[in-house]
Amino acid sequence: MPIPEKTLNDKLTISGRFAVVRTGNGSGMHFGFFHETSSGWRTPNSLVFRLSGEDKERRGQYSWALADLGNRNWKADGVGAFDGIYQTTRTEPIKSDGKPHDFTVAYDPDGADGLGEISITIDGKTWKNALQPGHKQEGAVFNRFGLMNLQVSGVDMEVYLDDIRVNGELLDFNKDPGWEGIGNKTRFEDRDLRPWHDLRWSPTNRAGGNTGEIAITMWRDERPAYFAAPIATVTLDQPLHAEGRLAFTGAGSDSGVCLGWFNADSKRNKLDPDVQNPALNFLAIAIEGPSRIGHYFRPIYSTSVKGIRGDAGSGPIIRPDGKQRRWTVDYDPAAAGGKGQITVTLDDEKVVLELKPDARKAGATFDRFGFFNIQSGGHYVKVYIDDVKYSGSAK
């Protein structure tokens, strides 16, 4: 339903009762405040009660309940109705048995010493979390209240909601409230299906320049994937340079991709997740970041020796707003007193990463330049690049 415009300077509450009847793996729903233009996973301009559904052999059908907040700059905050993280929590999930549960999602702009605080209460137990510094100041705008789908591939779930209060006002569902229905009866091709990447040449010019560019939709996924050009083998003893145009057009939270030099065999033969076996032999730009930030544009590298690797940790923040950007990455083996140094630029912003003292001695070999995935579960990014130059003559 349309509502008077609200922002992160307003105190906001959603409460009522829900019952989950059926869930499948990858099912979910959002219920709460959002904007009519809101789109994407961990949706910008949204404050919602989220149910994330599963159907597992050990537990059967169940859901995790969360309060999610996305500000206008794709930065996400939230809190789950469980202790710790859901992968290891001892808190029981919500069974898909039709049993009613009471819930409240609340946002207090004055909470957490003015940072803003979000909370979720299920059947009388409450979990709270402070917003990250700056998230409230960047702001969000809400002009709708109701149900919104999770905008990633998945399956359906069946949920019922009643006795809903919005900022204390009871919504009367004794008759059809006549809410807006957008996208409820439509047909479309969903090309963003987990876990399939879409890596190709495209007859477009979103990154700028002439028509024709590389288009990448790549998921964070435990299995290896890349889309790259073969090059003559280069190492950490050689200066390296790459540059080009880029447009970052879409992303969800917990997503990312790498662009740079790497070793094809090291990538192809790494069949387990990064958390179990970190990748070797690469020097690249990572477009990735924690949900509270969105995505950093930052340098990373790994040698041929396990454990000798580096990550700038932060860098320029890039939004999936489709803006045309210029980028460079330079590696100078003589910099930092001979340790070696990587410099990445995004338009006028720059970040520098010095290699560890033993990195050049450990060595690394690269025979590809292009995109490769981060082998950790997550979501997808969409990137277009053009007018690319890179060290390493084509084979």
Side-chain angles (χ1 to χ4, degrees):
M1 64 179 186
I3 60 171
E5 190 172 280
K6 300 292 184 180
T7 72
L8 291 182
N9 293 319
D10 297 304
K11 184 173 287 190
L12 302 169
T13 61
I14 314 159
S15 64
R17 185 173 292 116
F18 72 96
V20 184
V21 173
R22 177 174 48 83
T23 55
N25 288 326
S27 62
M29 61 136 244
H30 289 148
F31 182 63
F33 301 95
F34 56 96
H35 194 271
E36 61 186 314
T37 61
S38 294
S39 65
W41 163 242
R42 300 296 293 271
T43 315
N45 293 304
S46 68
L47 170 64
V48 294
F49 171 53
R50 171 160 68 99
L51 289 173
S52 183
E54 302 286 354
D55 184 0
K56 303 290 188 183
E57 182 177 351
R58 181 172 68 89
R59 273 181 163 163
Q61 295 186 14
Y62 63 92
S63 296
W64 297 108
L66 307 98
D68 275 356
L69 186 150
N71 75 7
R72 69 171 75 240
N73 288 332
W74 291 271
K75 294 181 181 179
D77 277 296
V79 59
F82 42 83
D83 299 325
I85 60 175
Y86 72 86
Q87 292 94 336
T88 58
T89 184
R90 293 179 179 270
T91 305
E92 283 296 311
I94 296 161
K95 294 181 179 179
S96 306
D97 55 6
K99 178 183 176 181
H101 299 272
D102 294 322
F103 81 97
T104 301
V105 167
Y107 167 71
D108 181 2
D110 299 319
D113 298 323
L115 288 175
E117 186 175 65
I118 188 170
S119 65
I120 184 170
T121 302
I122 302 292
D123 295 334
K125 183 172 181 179
T126 300
W127 293 262
K128 297 181 179 181
N129 193 28
L131 269 62
Q132 293 295 315
H135 282 203
K136 184 180 80 171
Q137 287 72 20
E138 291 180 11
V141 179
F142 316 115
N143 65 6
R144 294 291 187 277
F145 179 88
L147 288 155
M148 179 176 62
N149 65 318
L150 270 69
Q151 296 172 39
V152 293
S153 60
V155 300
D156 62 307
M157 69 189 306
E158 186 177 353
V159 183
Y160 294 84
L161 300 118
D162 203 2
D163 298 334
I164 301 300
R165 291 184 179 272
V166 181
N167 299 329
E169 181 179 347
L170 179 65
L171 301 184
D172 183 3
F173 292 152
N174 292 326
K175 60 181 180 180
D176 187 342
W179 285 3
E180 282 183 319
I182 304 297
N184 298 320
K185 297 179 180 180
T186 187
R187 296 178 64 87
F188 63 96
E189 287 190 15
D190 188 355
R191 296 181 179 274
D192 302 323
L193 296 173
R194 185 192 305 277
W196 293 289
H197 313 285
D198 184 10
L199 317 171
R200 57 189 166 84
W201 176 86
S202 174
T204 53
N205 65 341
R206 295 192 178 189
N210 296 326
T211 299
E213 58 193 349
I214 296 298
I216 295 293
T217 299
M218 186 167 271
W219 293 81
R220 265 186 23 181
D221 187 79
E222 285 80 0
R223 289 160 290 189
Y226 66 77
F227 190 62
I231 62 172
T233 299
V234 294
T235 73
L236 291 177
D237 292 326
Q238 301 168 246
L240 301 174
H241 170 80
E243 63 181 81
R245 298 174 180 267
L246 175 148
F248 187 28
T249 62
S253 294
D254 310 314
S255 63
V257 71
C258 297
L259 171 62
W261 297 269
F262 63 98
N263 184 280
D265 285 342
S266 294
K267 188 64 177 174
R268 280 194 297 261
N269 296 325
K270 199 179 92 64
L271 303 179
D272 40 18
D274 287 341
V275 293
Q276 296 177 8
N277 183 24
L280 304 176
N281 288 305
F282 66 80
L283 190 155
I285 299 166
I287 304 174
E288 189 210 25
S291 299
R292 66 181 185 275
I293 293 297
H295 293 79
Y296 286 125
F297 198 82
R298 69 185 198 272
I300 59 173
Y301 74 91
S302 180
T303 68
S304 60
V305 176
K306 187 174 181 178
I308 304 180
R309 58 204 317 268
D311 187 331
S314 64
I317 295 173
I318 185 168
R319 313 289 186 205
D321 52 17
K323 290 183 179 179
Q324 295 175 359
R325 318 290 293 267
R326 288 279 194 178
W327 60 271
T328 66
V329 54
D330 285 279
Y331 167 67
D332 182 356
K339 290 186 296 183
Q341 177 177 285
I342 308 168
T343 302
V344 166
T345 68
L346 181 66
D347 294 331
D348 297 326
E349 297 182 83
K350 180 173 72 172
V351 59
V352 173
L353 173 64
E354 291 185 5
L355 272 60
K356 293 180 178 178
D358 52 354
R360 285 188 61 193
K361 182 178 179 180
T365 58
F366 317 122
D367 59 11
R368 296 290 190 276
F369 181 88
F371 287 95
F372 59 97
N373 72 322
I374 297 168
Q375 289 180 240
S376 175
H379 291 275
Y380 68 83
V381 298
K382 290 179 175 286
V383 183
Y384 292 80
I385 61 168
D386 200 3
D387 296 339
V388 178
K389 300 177 182 178
Y390 50 88
S391 297
S393 58
K395 289 185 177 178

